[in-house]
Amino acid sequence: ARLVVLVSGSGTNLQALLDAIDADPDFGARVVAVGADRDGIAGLERAERAGLPTFVVRVKDHTDRAAWDLALAEATAAHTPDLVVSAGFMKIVGKEFLARFGGRFVNTHPALLPSFPGAHGVRDALAYGAKVTGCTVHFVDDGVDTGPVIAQGVVEVRPDDTEDALHERIKEVERRLLVETVGRLARHGYRIEGRKVHVGE
Ligand code: GRF
């Protein structure tokens, strides 16, 4: 399967996918391009080090959000992905992107959805006093972190946790969960029925 990965930051989830694919000839997927909504991020450097094509689609370069969404969809479609993976991509895509990639667009979120959706899931879980949190890999729908859940991993919250310390511990689980989930979807195929995702049946 052909993967396009979208990033906005350090790209350690992208790196985990690249390393897993390098290490396993039977992984069943390869990253064909990496896209971002901003320049100058480590995620794009990781892609360039891996010799991958990259594209940057910035909101401020477009007249409005819909134009940005269309440009992102077209830049992504140019690489004919089978599956698009949002790995720390910090923008909400719109109708155009979902029209083309809905049902084959997965996101990883650093909390146990439906708890703590949005851009500050780690901070919100900590502030709430949750005793466990974790990460979720889900299909993207037209909501914010509301699409069908594919896989989740649990991480304990420690009394002395800071947001960064907790997020780093979550990311250790998240990187493994994303690699395992993307590999399963690519190798075994999947069916989405309402909120249920059936992999490989
Ligand atoms: C991940 O925890 C992702 O869930 C969240 O931001 C982090 C991105 O990390 N949205 P990286 O860029 O993959 O290192």
Side-chain angles (χ1 to χ4, degrees):
R2 296 171 58 86
L3 307 177
V4 168
V5 181
L6 303 179
V7 296
S8 294
S10 52
T12 64
N13 278 284
L14 163 68
Q15 192 63 55
L17 275 171
L18 294 174
D19 295 347
I21 290 164
D22 278 351
D24 177 4
D26 301 327
F27 183 78
R30 65 190 176 90
V31 179
V32 296
V34 174
D37 60 328
R38 66 197 76 180
D39 284 307
I41 53 168
L44 288 172
E45 290 166 23
R46 293 178 191 276
E48 286 150 15
R49 269 204 301 277
L52 293 173
T54 59
F55 56 88
V56 178
V57 183
R58 300 184 306 179
V59 172
K60 61 173 179 266
D61 292 341
H62 296 277
T63 49
D64 60 22
R65 191 70 184 218
W68 170 81
D69 184 55
L70 177 60
L72 182 73
E74 289 176 342
T76 302
H79 296 283
T80 58
D82 298 300
L83 196 62
V84 183
V85 180
S86 159
F89 186 65
M90 296 306 276
K91 288 285 187 305
I92 304 300
V93 297
K95 281 197 333 292
E96 192 61 48
F97 196 93
L98 289 173
R100 297 192 196 199
F101 300 109
R104 50 200 186 103
F105 180 28
V106 302
N107 176 50
T108 177
H109 180 74
L112 292 175
L113 296 173
S115 296
F116 314 121
H120 306 291
V122 180
R123 181 191 310 170
D124 297 342
L126 202 52
Y128 190 86
K131 297 302 179 190
V132 294
T133 187
C135 47
T136 303
V137 179
H138 65 97
F139 281 103
V140 177
D141 66 5
D142 55 2
V144 177
D145 298 327
T146 52
V149 172
I150 310 166
Q152 295 189 298
V154 178
V155 176
E156 64 159 0
V157 181
R158 293 177 185 159
D160 59 346
D161 260 336
T162 61
E163 180 182 348
D164 287 349
L166 177 55
H167 200 167
E168 273 317 305
R169 245 189 5 266
I170 290 171
K171 285 173 82 170
E172 285 163 21
V173 176
E174 181 177 33
R175 291 189 279 261
R176 286 200 302 272
L177 190 73
L178 184 66
V179 165
E180 179 194 9
T181 304
V182 169
R184 281 173 55 225
L185 295 175
R187 286 190 301 276
H188 306 307
Y190 58 91
R191 211 165 17 90
I192 306 174
E193 278 180 6
R195 292 205 59 83
K196 288 275 186 279
V197 178
H198 304 275
V199 183
E201 294 158 22

mmCIF file of all heavy atoms in Angstrom, residues 9-13 87-88 90 108-110 167 171 174, ligand 1:
data_model
loop_
_atom_site.group_PDB
_atom_site.id
_atom_site.type_symbol
_atom_site.label_atom_id
_atom_site.label_comp_id
_atom_site.label_asym_id
_atom_site.label_seq_id
_atom_site.Cartn_x
_atom_site.Cartn_y
_atom_site.Cartn_z
ATOM 1 N N GLY A 9 5.058 18.577 13.067
ATOM 2 C CA GLY A 9 6.035 18.814 14.142
ATOM 3 C C GLY A 9 7.267 17.940 14.021
ATOM 4 O O GLY A 9 7.853 17.831 12.952
ATOM 5 N N SER A 10 7.628 17.290 15.142
ATOM 6 C CA SER A 10 8.911 16.568 15.218
ATOM 7 C C SER A 10 8.921 15.313 14.336
ATOM 8 O O SER A 10 9.969 14.854 13.921
ATOM 9 C CB SER A 10 9.220 16.185 16.663
ATOM 10 O OG SER A 10 8.115 15.501 17.217
ATOM 11 N N GLY A 11 7.749 14.752 14.052
ATOM 12 C CA GLY A 11 7.720 13.624 13.121
ATOM 13 C C GLY A 11 8.245 12.311 13.673
ATOM 14 O O GLY A 11 8.700 11.450 12.926
ATOM 15 N N THR A 12 8.172 12.120 15.002
ATOM 16 C CA THR A 12 8.681 10.847 15.544
ATOM 17 C C THR A 12 7.749 9.694 15.206
ATOM 18 O O THR A 12 8.194 8.553 15.066
ATOM 19 C CB THR A 12 8.878 10.912 17.068
ATOM 20 O OG1 THR A 12 7.634 11.112 17.715
ATOM 21 C CG2 THR A 12 9.877 12.003 17.442
ATOM 22 N N ASN A 13 6.468 9.984 15.012
ATOM 23 C CA ASN A 13 5.555 8.912 14.565
ATOM 24 C C ASN A 13 5.889 8.528 13.120
ATOM 25 O O ASN A 13 5.922 7.354 12.763
ATOM 26 C CB ASN A 13 4.101 9.369 14.679
ATOM 27 C CG ASN A 13 3.566 9.206 16.086
ATOM 28 O OD1 ASN A 13 3.261 8.097 16.519
ATOM 29 N ND2 ASN A 13 3.488 10.286 16.814
ATOM 30 N N ALA A 87 0.035 12.076 11.290
ATOM 31 C CA ALA A 87 0.905 11.731 12.427
ATOM 32 C C ALA A 87 1.380 13.033 13.059
ATOM 33 O O ALA A 87 2.467 13.524 12.777
ATOM 34 C CB ALA A 87 2.084 10.905 11.930
ATOM 35 N N GLY A 88 0.502 13.613 13.856
ATOM 36 C CA GLY A 88 0.848 14.887 14.468
ATOM 37 C C GLY A 88 0.557 16.051 13.543
ATOM 38 O O GLY A 88 1.125 17.114 13.655
ATOM 39 N N MET A 90 -1.538 19.044 12.570
ATOM 40 C CA MET A 90 -2.342 19.832 13.499
ATOM 41 C C MET A 90 -3.370 20.732 12.815
ATOM 42 O O MET A 90 -3.655 21.828 13.277
ATOM 43 C CB MET A 90 -1.412 20.689 14.376
ATOM 44 C CG MET A 90 -0.505 19.855 15.259
ATOM 45 S SD MET A 90 -1.396 18.672 16.288
ATOM 46 C CE MET A 90 -1.824 19.729 17.659
ATOM 47 N N THR A 108 -3.674 9.696 14.499
ATOM 48 C CA THR A 108 -3.305 9.238 15.829
ATOM 49 C C THR A 108 -3.478 10.407 16.784
ATOM 50 O O THR A 108 -3.089 11.527 16.483
ATOM 51 C CB THR A 108 -1.850 8.704 15.875
ATOM 52 O OG1 THR A 108 -1.558 8.344 17.222
ATOM 53 C CG2 THR A 108 -0.828 9.677 15.354
ATOM 54 N N HIS A 109 -4.134 10.110 17.920
ATOM 55 C CA HIS A 109 -4.444 11.173 18.889
ATOM 56 C C HIS A 109 -3.924 10.751 20.257
ATOM 57 O O HIS A 109 -4.132 9.601 20.669
ATOM 58 C CB HIS A 109 -5.964 11.402 18.948
ATOM 59 C CG HIS A 109 -6.371 12.469 19.912
ATOM 60 N ND1 HIS A 109 -6.183 13.816 19.669
ATOM 61 C CD2 HIS A 109 -6.931 12.377 21.149
ATOM 62 C CE1 HIS A 109 -6.618 14.502 20.723
ATOM 63 N NE2 HIS A 109 -7.079 13.669 21.615
ATOM 64 N N PRO A 110 -3.269 11.649 21.000
ATOM 65 C CA PRO A 110 -2.637 11.257 22.267
ATOM 66 C C PRO A 110 -3.586 11.272 23.470
ATOM 67 O O PRO A 110 -3.276 11.854 24.520
ATOM 68 C CB PRO A 110 -1.534 12.291 22.430
ATOM 69 C CG PRO A 110 -2.116 13.526 21.826
ATOM 70 C CD PRO A 110 -2.996 13.052 20.684
ATOM 71 N N HIS A 167 3.322 13.258 27.813
ATOM 72 C CA HIS A 167 3.218 13.135 26.352
ATOM 73 C C HIS A 167 4.326 12.238 25.814
ATOM 74 O O HIS A 167 4.085 11.390 24.952
ATOM 75 C CB HIS A 167 3.280 14.519 25.688
ATOM 76 C CG HIS A 167 2.713 14.508 24.295
ATOM 77 N ND1 HIS A 167 2.421 15.651 23.591
ATOM 78 C CD2 HIS A 167 2.382 13.485 23.469
ATOM 79 C CE1 HIS A 167 1.931 15.331 22.402
ATOM 80 N NE2 HIS A 167 1.908 14.015 22.293
ATOM 81 N N LYS A 171 3.743 8.918 23.729
ATOM 82 C CA LYS A 171 4.280 8.741 22.378
ATOM 83 C C LYS A 171 5.031 7.424 22.218
ATOM 84 O O LYS A 171 5.083 6.866 21.120
ATOM 85 C CB LYS A 171 5.171 9.932 22.005
ATOM 86 C CG LYS A 171 4.360 11.181 21.671
ATOM 87 C CD LYS A 171 5.226 12.411 21.468
ATOM 88 C CE LYS A 171 5.820 12.490 20.113
ATOM 89 N NZ LYS A 171 6.467 13.807 19.862
ATOM 90 N N GLU A 174 2.208 5.234 21.514
ATOM 91 C CA GLU A 174 1.552 5.695 20.271
ATOM 92 C C GLU A 174 2.322 5.279 19.023
ATOM 93 O O GLU A 174 1.739 4.829 18.038
ATOM 94 C CB GLU A 174 1.456 7.219 20.325
ATOM 95 C CG GLU A 174 0.793 7.853 19.143
ATOM 96 C CD GLU A 174 0.680 9.356 19.312
ATOM 97 O OE1 GLU A 174 1.576 9.972 19.940
ATOM 98 O OE2 GLU A 174 -0.319 9.904 18.843
HETATM 99 C C1 GRF B 1 1.641 12.979 18.641
HETATM 100 O O1 GRF B 1 1.488 12.619 20.010
HETATM 101 C C2 GRF B 1 0.283 13.208 18.027
HETATM 102 O O2 GRF B 1 -0.712 12.342 18.515
HETATM 103 C C3 GRF B 1 -0.008 14.608 18.502
HETATM 104 O O3 GRF B 1 1.207 15.302 18.374
HETATM 105 C C4 GRF B 1 2.274 14.353 18.499
HETATM 106 C C5 GRF B 1 3.105 14.445 17.255
HETATM 107 O O4 GRF B 1 4.329 13.870 17.542
HETATM 108 N N1 GRF B 1 -1.047 15.223 17.701
HETATM 109 P P1 GRF B 1 5.405 13.647 16.333
HETATM 110 O O5 GRF B 1 5.373 14.907 15.477
HETATM 111 O O6 GRF B 1 4.950 12.437 15.588
HETATM 112 O O7 GRF B 1 6.700 13.436 17.063
#
